[in-house]
């Protein structure tokens, strides 16, 4: 083996023909973090927004969850941050509608900004204010807050806004819908006039224009392109989306592949890490999957393609970058393991099947919170995507029984069966013929892999678009709206094997549960944090979904034992 071969630079491996994060002028600490996270290329919204925001422009951006909008504003905000600056007052303020989003966005800032030593604090109602006060006192660079709590802290004199250089309004339409308009005005008025203001929103209603006119200065505008992919050129592709909580995705994918039985499929993931992990999981489940991403050498990629073409592998798990330019004749299915970050990328991906008059299949796994992105894709791509629930264990069993019945029928019609007659006759002395037949079917069924040992996958739908009362009062600064209510019906208690010792706080658990399942913060009941474990109360019907989802994820960077608490 030639160990002197030059190592391939993943940013320059021939497949990377679009602009890279490095082309956007991001500093090395940020590039390093992005490489470690396995991000291969900027999403369209990032490509446009990052240079503008980094240069200090005000921005009005239309983007839904799933487009990569969080990185689109947090990277340039971090870019403008003086590394390890150590001042007390925050220089960036991000306002978000819900506590879940506050946790998610501050985690994103933290992930991207840790090499810069960025100090990020999420601030939201429902959590003890004392800790937030203490952190503010110690000094932070970026505050990610819900408007109610931000105003509360501002009025107490604990949140200083006089050094704010950038304000980001994330999901601004949601904030207006929740009645935060006046709070937003009050907060923005307390920041320096020459600050930069960045506003992101999934929709652009008129009221939002008014807000933008009041607070943004000559903003650049970014809107998702509307004109691509004329319906006429759309290939013949059956398009389906399944709503799946993140933690249940590997199992759901396995089940869908079982039912679809593709000849050859390509599964698209967002990052290299996801490609590697998913390939491993699929192989562990008995599929023949091969990874393909920008971190692999040309030789490795050629080998993978060879195995797919020769039929030694039937699934290719790939990032967009790595799959660019690939043309695979026998491809029948395209699977989007995540909703693609832009409609254009959806159109590119599904364009790989349904060629030359053959029918192709496109399958998208969408998390409950990604409804809007899917709607946008439908609109822009001129596609009709039918939303289905993941096949249940019962569906799967019925399908397997169908296969067994078909095999038996074939055998009855064609095979030489006479040599087994003696077996049936002997048994018939002792048993009813029906029973003999049943036992034989069972053996045949099990022999073709029909063992019934599957776990149920939680059936979830998309989250309701808005479950917050419109215009719910706009005065005062009394903590948070909507108030934390806790579950309404029967509840279950979950045991999570991480506690105070691991630095776990209630917000971490709320963040993990709402981020990974269909639950919202207000569905979660009491949370007890003990030294080595925590107990969380959630609605009983969601318990299995949440257990699965939490098992599959990390909480505070650690894997936790999660089960129903039997105490
Ligand atoms: P957002 O639209 O901000 O909610 O982001 C959606 C998801 O995409 C998040 O899980 C991000 O970590 C991920 N993501 C954002 N940008 C990229 C990128 N350039 N490459 C891969 N994944 C990304």
């Amino acid at each position: 083996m030639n160990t002197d071969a030059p190592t391939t630079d993943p940013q320059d491996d021939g497949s990377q023909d679009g602009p890279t994060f490095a082309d956007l002028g991001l500093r090395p600490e940020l590039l390093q973090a992005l490489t470690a996270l396995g991000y291969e290329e900027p999403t369209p919204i990032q490509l446009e927004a990052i240079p503008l925001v980094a240069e200090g422009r005000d921005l009005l951006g239309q983007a839904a969850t799933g487009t990569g909008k969080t990185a689109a504003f947090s990277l340039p905000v971090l870019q403008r941050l003086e590394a390890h600056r150590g001042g007390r007052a925050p220089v960036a303020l991000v306002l978000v509608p819900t506590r879940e989003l506050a946790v998610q966005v501050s985690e994103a800032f933290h992930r991207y900004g840790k090499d810069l030593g960025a100090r990020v604090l999420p601030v939201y109602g429902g959590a003890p204010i004392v800790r937030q006060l203490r952190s503010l006192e110690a000094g932070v660079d970026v505050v990610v807050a819900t408007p109610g709590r931000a105003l509360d802290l501002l009025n107490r004199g604990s949140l200083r806004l006089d050094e704010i250089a950038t304000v980001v309004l994330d999901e601004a339409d949601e904030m207006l819908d929740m009645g935060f308009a006046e709070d937003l005005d009050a907060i923005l008025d307390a920041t320096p006039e020459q600050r930069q203001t960045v506003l992101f929103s999934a929709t652009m209603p008129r009221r939002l224009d008014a807000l933008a006119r009041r607070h943004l200065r000559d903003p650049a505008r970014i809107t998702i392109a509307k004109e691509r992919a004329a319906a006429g050129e759309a290939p013949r592709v059956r398009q389906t989306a399944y709503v799946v909580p993140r933690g249940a995705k590997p199992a759901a994918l396995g089940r869908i592949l079982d039912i679809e039985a593709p000849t050859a499929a390509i599964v698209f993931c967002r990052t290299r890490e996801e490609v590697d992990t998913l390939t491993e999981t699929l192989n562990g489940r008995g599929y023949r999957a091969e990874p393909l991403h920008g971190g692999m050498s040309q030789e490795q990629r050629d080998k993978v393609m060879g195995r797919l073409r020769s039929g030694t592998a039937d699934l290719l798990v790939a990032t967009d970058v790595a799959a660019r330019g690939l043309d695979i004749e026998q491809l029948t299915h395209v699977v989007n393991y995540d909703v693609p970050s832009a409609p254009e990328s959806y159109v590119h991906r599904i364009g790989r099947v349904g060629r030359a008059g053959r029918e192709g299949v496109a399958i998208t796994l969408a998390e409950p919170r990604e409804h809007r992105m899917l709607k946008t894709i439908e609109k822009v791509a001129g596609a009709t995507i039918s939303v289905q629930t993941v096949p249940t264990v019962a569906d799967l069993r019925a399908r397997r029984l169908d296969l067994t019945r078909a095999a038996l029928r074939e055998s009855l019609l064609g095979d030489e069966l006479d040599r087994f007659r003696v077996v049936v006759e002997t048994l018939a002395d002792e048993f009813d013929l029906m029973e003999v037949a049943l036992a034989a079917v069972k053996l045949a069924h099990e022999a073709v892999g029909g063992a019934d040992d599957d776990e149920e996958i939680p059936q979830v739908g998309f989250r309701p678009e808005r479950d917050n009362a419109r215009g719910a009062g706009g005065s005062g600064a009394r903590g948070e709206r909507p108030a934390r209510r806790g579950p309404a019906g029967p509840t279950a208690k979950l045991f999570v094997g991480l506690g105070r010792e691991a630095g776990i706080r209630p917000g971490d658990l709320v963040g993990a549960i709402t981020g990974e399942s269909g639950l919202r913060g207000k569905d979660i009941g009491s949370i007890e944090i003990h030294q080595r474990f925590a107990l969380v109360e959630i609605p009983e019907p969601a318990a299995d979904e949440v257990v699965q989802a939490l098992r599959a994820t990390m909480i505070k960077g650690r894997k936790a034992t999660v089960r129903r608490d039997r105490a």
Side-chain angles (χ1 to χ4, degrees):
M1 202 184 267
N2 179 7
T3 45
D4 295 334
T7 47
T8 350
D9 176 358
Q11 300 282 11
D12 185 25
D13 58 6
S15 63
Q16 185 88 52
D17 43 21
T20 63
F21 280 109
D23 296 336
L24 299 180
L26 290 175
R27 49 213 279 182
E29 294 93 333
L30 294 173
L31 292 177
Q32 213 167 294
L34 295 170
T35 307
L37 286 166
Y39 290 11
E40 295 199 320
E41 58 173 357
T43 68
I45 195 89
Q46 290 163 3
L47 215 49
E48 292 195 55
I50 289 173
L52 289 166
V53 180
E55 148 197 320
R57 275 291 294 271
D58 279 11
L59 175 72
L60 194 57
Q62 187 166 4
T65 296
T67 51
K69 69 178 162 70
T70 314
F73 63 75
S74 45
L75 289 170
V77 165
L78 288 165
Q79 171 85 2
R80 286 162 65 82
L81 211 66
E82 211 181 296
H84 305 279
R85 54 170 215 112
R88 285 263 284 280
V91 289
L93 173 68
V94 183
L95 293 165
V96 297
T98 62
R99 80 182 68 197
E100 292 79 23
L101 199 59
V103 171
Q104 267 175 37
V105 170
S106 69
E107 277 172 359
F109 265 101
H110 195 77
R111 273 200 305 274
Y112 305 138
K114 60 178 186 313
D115 292 342
L116 290 171
R119 296 164 303 166
V120 186
L121 179 70
V123 155
Y124 47 84
I129 199 160
V130 185
R131 214 171 28 225
Q132 297 177 357
L133 291 173
R134 225 180 287 138
S135 304
L136 285 170
E137 183 60 27
V140 292
D141 303 310
V142 182
V143 171
V144 184
T146 50
R149 181 55 70 96
L151 198 55
D152 197 355
L153 290 167
L154 182 67
N155 291 340
R156 284 168 181 247
S158 328
L159 178 61
R160 275 181 52 192
L161 297 181
D162 53 325
E163 288 184 27
I164 292 290
T166 306
V167 176
V168 178
L169 306 175
D170 190 18
E171 303 204 351
D173 50 353
E174 291 276 352
M175 290 198 279
L176 289 187
D177 276 351
M178 291 171 76
F180 282 134
E182 288 176 26
D183 292 3
L184 292 178
D185 284 341
I187 296 166
L188 284 161
D189 288 343
T191 61
E193 207 166 316
Q194 71 282 10
R195 61 147 209 279
Q196 172 187 30
T197 315
V198 174
L199 185 154
F200 274 105
S201 185
T203 60
M204 287 288 167
R206 276 252 276 292
R207 288 180 310 139
L208 203 65
D209 262 343
L211 180 88
R213 244 177 287 121
R214 277 200 301 281
H215 299 290
L216 273 63
R217 251 175 310 142
D218 180 29
R221 286 171 190 260
I222 302 179
T223 317
I224 296 168
K226 288 235 162 47
E227 74 284 7
R228 327 276 161 108
E233 354 168 320
R236 281 205 326 158
V237 180
R238 169 161 62 86
Q239 300 170 57
T240 309
Y242 294 92
V243 190
V244 188
R246 191 181 321 179
K249 274 186 171 180
L253 179 60
R255 183 151 316 164
I256 293 162
L257 291 173
D258 279 351
I259 296 235
E260 290 278 344
T263 311
I266 183 161
V267 182
F268 283 101
C269 294
R270 277 196 170 126
T271 64
R272 293 174 189 180
E273 275 61 38
E274 208 168 65
V275 166
D276 285 334
T277 327
L278 187 62
T279 309
E280 239 170 71
T281 314
L282 288 170
N283 282 320
R285 283 168 191 253
Y287 296 97
R288 298 177 308 169
E290 293 281 345
L292 192 73
H293 58 62
M296 294 164 61
S297 68
Q298 194 52 48
E299 194 187 340
Q300 287 171 313
R301 293 142 161 272
D302 291 345
K303 272 202 194 127
V304 165
M305 292 313 297
R307 284 198 281 270
L308 196 77
R309 293 213 165 91
S310 67
T312 325
D314 22 50
L315 292 176
L316 192 63
V317 185
T319 55
D320 281 306
V321 169
R324 205 164 277 156
L326 281 188
D327 195 9
I328 308 159
E329 177 73 19
Q330 64 271 52
L331 209 61
T332 54
H333 288 63
V334 167
V335 179
N336 298 307
Y337 193 62
D338 307 281
V339 175
S341 58
E344 295 75 24
S345 126
Y346 181 86
V347 174
H348 275 148
R349 289 179 181 183
I350 72 165
R352 296 170 183 285
V353 289
R355 297 202 182 148
R358 279 171 302 178
E359 204 213 28
V361 181
I363 290 165
T364 303
L365 302 191
E367 288 170 41
R369 64 194 176 93
E370 289 173 330
H371 193 194
R372 276 203 182 154
M373 193 54 204
L374 207 63
K375 284 271 158 242
T376 309
I377 288 175
E378 273 197 306
K379 215 165 17 168
V380 176
T384 309
I385 306 175
S386 81
V387 176
Q388 295 186 10
T389 47
V390 181
T392 60
V393 171
D395 293 336
L396 194 64
R397 289 181 186 164
R399 162 92 172 149
R400 286 182 183 149
L401 283 176
D402 271 348
L403 291 175
T404 302
R405 183 169 41 231
L408 286 169
R409 236 178 145 258
E410 207 171 305
S411 171
L412 281 164
L413 290 173
D415 282 358
E416 265 303 317
L417 295 173
D418 248 6
R419 62 200 175 101
F420 301 108
R421 185 172 296 275
V422 55
V423 178
V424 178
E425 279 173 356
T426 332
L427 285 170
D429 291 341
E430 209 181 330
F431 302 96
D432 182 58
L433 267 183
M434 179 58 121
E435 282 173 55
V436 176
L438 288 175
V441 172
K442 175 169 181 271
L443 285 180
H445 187 64
E446 287 171 359
V448 296
D452 292 336
D453 56 356
D454 313 275
E455 264 188 53
E456 200 62 86
I457 293 173
Q459 302 280 321
V460 294
F462 282 119
R463 283 182 188 174
E465 286 264 307
R466 305 242 195 291
D467 59 351
N468 309 300
R470 278 168 188 262
S475 63
R478 285 159 289 100
E480 215 45 41
R481 281 151 297 179
R484 175 143 167 172
R485 267 176 256 141
T491 59
K493 217 168 226 186
L494 299 190
F495 169 95
V496 180
L498 290 174
R500 257 197 305 280
E501 226 172 62
I504 293 294
R505 296 157 310 164
D508 300 322
L509 295 170
V510 173
I513 293 172
T514 54
E516 304 295 326
S517 73
L519 291 186
R520 305 197 59 137
K522 65 179 185 315
D523 302 323
I524 300 171
S526 69
I527 298 179
E528 296 168 36
I529 309 264
H530 297 261
Q531 196 60 20
R532 299 237 167 114
F533 65 94
L535 298 172
V536 188
E537 190 191 24
I538 56 163
E540 166 62 42
D544 291 332
E545 176 203 336
V546 174
V547 168
Q548 281 207 35
L550 291 184
R551 280 181 184 163
T553 189
M554 308 263 244
I555 304 174
K556 276 254 162 153
R558 297 168 65 161
K559 280 267 173 208
T561 310
V562 182
R563 55 175 158 77
R564 281 167 181 270
D565 184 43
R566 301 193 204 288

